Amino acid sequence: MRHAAVSWSIAALVFGALAGPSWAQDGFALSSPAFTDCATLPADLKCTRDGGDGLTPPLAWTGVP
């Protein structure tokens, strides 16, 4: 079940990236101060299986439909 959730999450990210910048500016936007562009995932946010703490990143959203 976890694998299916990850697959759907990846599909949502890919669709969002392909939707174009006008969609991102005018619609729903999800952000987190824990991430920076082109950077690796912070160690404490990695799952425990990969040596991280499994913490949930802080999230912020705008443009909720």
Side-chain angles (χ1 to χ4, degrees):
M1 187 62 153
R2 182 179 287 176
H3 180 63
V6 170
S7 296
W8 279 108
S9 297
I10 292 171
L13 289 172
V14 170
F15 176 77
L18 296 176
S22 63
W23 179 84
Q25 291 174 356
D26 297 335
F28 178 79
L30 178 65
S31 62
S32 175
F35 304 108
T36 56
D37 290 341
C38 300
T40 59
L41 186 65
D44 59 340
L45 300 178
K46 290 182 181 180
C47 70
T48 55
R49 182 181 58 213
D50 289 335
D53 295 331
L55 299 178
T56 301
L59 299 174
W61 48 87
T62 59
V64 178

